[in-house]
Each structure stands twice: as C-alpha cells, then as structure tokens.
C-alpha cells in the first residue's frame, strides 16, 4: 500500500528555493577545508602525468591544494600529494607546479 503526500506539501516543496552548497575540499598541504573554487586541483592523468587542472573538470585522480606556495612546500614535505594521487612525484614536477602556481597568483 502506497502512502500519498498531501498536495499542499508537494506545492510547498516545489516553491522552496534550492540552496546549492559549494562543495568543500581539504588542502593536502595545510589540511584546511575550503570551498572547491578557492583551491587548485592537481590531477594524475590516465597517462600518469601530474598537472594543474585550472578548469576543475579534467579526467584523472585529483587532489586539492591552496594557491599558496607554503601549502605546496608542506604538501611536498608531508608527501600529501603523493598519498592523494597514489604516485611518486619527481622533483621536476614540484618545480613546475610551483612555477605554474606563481603565474596563477599574478
């Protein structure tokens, strides 16, 4: 036996404005939760390349980091990016990420 919802409740639900929440993600450097829009997404592509994803929509395993060079240093020291992306990251990649981050800040 199905229970029906009274029509007045259906109308009330339809008239309520939808509150979209901005998803929160943790920075792999400082561990602070922030909105997805405030963070930079770093991805491991299916070809095992590590790149910055400025659009936030590229395919691949992602990790989020604050646009602060200090957070990148913390992530490097604690190997936060390596754990999140499940890949060992060579020094050249960190250097290129730091360079790309500095261009994003300007």
């Amino acid at each position: 036996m199905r229970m029906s919802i009274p029509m007045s409740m259906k109308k009330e639900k339809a008239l309520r404005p939808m509150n979209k929440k901005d998803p929160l993600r943790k920075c792999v450097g400082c561990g602070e939760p922030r909105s997805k829009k405030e963070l930079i997404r770093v991805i491991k592509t299916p070809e095992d390349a590590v790149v910055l994803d400025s659009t936030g929509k590229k395919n691949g395993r992602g990790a989020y980091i604050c646009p602060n060079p200090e957070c990148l240093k913390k992530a490097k020291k604690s190997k936060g990016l390596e754990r999140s992306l499940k890949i060992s990251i060579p020094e050249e990649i960190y250097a290129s990420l730091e360079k790309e981050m500095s261009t994003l800040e300007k």
Side-chain angles (χ1 to χ4, degrees):
M1 183 189 286
R2 261 179 44 173
M3 292 184 63
S4 63
I5 298 172
M7 193 59 154
S8 62
M9 287 181 75
K10 285 182 183 179
K11 285 182 184 177
E12 185 181 315
K13 190 173 183 181
L15 295 176
R16 251 186 282 161
M18 289 197 50
N19 294 335
K20 282 196 167 188
K21 293 182 181 176
D22 194 22
L24 293 178
R25 300 289 184 261
K26 268 191 180 180
C27 171
V28 293
C30 63
E32 194 175 310
R34 295 182 180 215
S35 81
K36 196 174 171 181
K37 293 175 185 175
E38 294 176 40
L39 299 170
I40 298 171
R41 185 170 184 239
V42 181
I43 62 165
K44 177 182 84 169
T45 63
E47 296 82 32
D48 286 342
V50 178
V51 293
L52 284 181
D53 179 13
S54 56
T55 63
K57 297 181 181 186
K58 289 184 183 176
N59 287 339
R61 183 172 188 84
Y64 292 85
I65 191 161
C66 297
N68 181 353
E70 288 300 312
C71 282
L72 183 61
K73 289 177 185 173
K74 287 179 187 177
K76 182 179 174 183
K77 186 176 179 180
S78 68
K79 298 190 183 222
L81 272 177
E82 292 186 11
R83 274 195 313 272
S84 295
L85 300 177
K86 298 182 179 180
I87 189 172
S88 72
I89 300 175
E91 187 62 38
E92 304 87 53
I93 300 289
Y94 281 112
S96 69
L97 287 174
E98 197 169 334
K99 184 180 175 184
E100 286 183 56
M101 241 185 224
S102 65
T103 59
L104 287 175
E105 285 182 337
K106 294 178 183 176

